[in-house]
Amino acid sequence: MQLKIIILTDADYAYARELHQQYPDIPMVLQVCNEPGQDNYESLMSKYRALVNKLTLDSSISDNVRALPQLHVLPWGNRPGV
């Protein structure tokens, strides 16, 4: 089991941090939100890098938390059904 949280705002990140503190032994994956109209590779990777940097600097987050891009967006963008 693992928790997956989609991050769009700082409030989403704060929620993920709070959830991680409540359940530190459950692995957690954070993914950047792919907003409609911003589904290109550069936009997604820029958000992903920002999330990784935030995690790296956050001492309240353990090694049990990982950041991953939404991999389906890289080849297909926001198309429904993929």
Side-chain angles (χ1 to χ4, degrees), residues 7-80:
I7 305 295
L8 176 61
T9 65
D10 287 336
D12 296 334
Y13 185 84
Y15 171 73
R17 185 186 314 128
E18 180 182 315
L19 200 58
H20 173 63
Q21 290 170 353
Q22 289 177 354
Y23 305 101
D25 296 330
I26 298 176
M28 181 181 285
V29 172
L30 304 182
Q31 291 187 314
V32 293
C33 183
N34 176 32
E35 298 176 82
Q38 295 183 348
D39 62 350
N40 63 53
Y41 176 82
E42 291 82 16
S43 175
L44 183 63
M45 288 297 102
S46 176
K47 290 180 191 179
Y48 176 61
R49 283 188 299 271
L51 179 59
V52 169
N53 287 336
K54 188 176 246 187
L55 276 174
T56 301
L57 297 173
D58 190 345
S59 62
S60 70
I61 298 285
S62 76
D63 292 338
N64 215 11
V65 179
R66 299 177 294 142
L68 296 173
Q70 291 183 314
L71 295 176
H72 63 282
V73 175
L74 298 177
W76 291 289
N78 277 329
R79 277 194 270 167

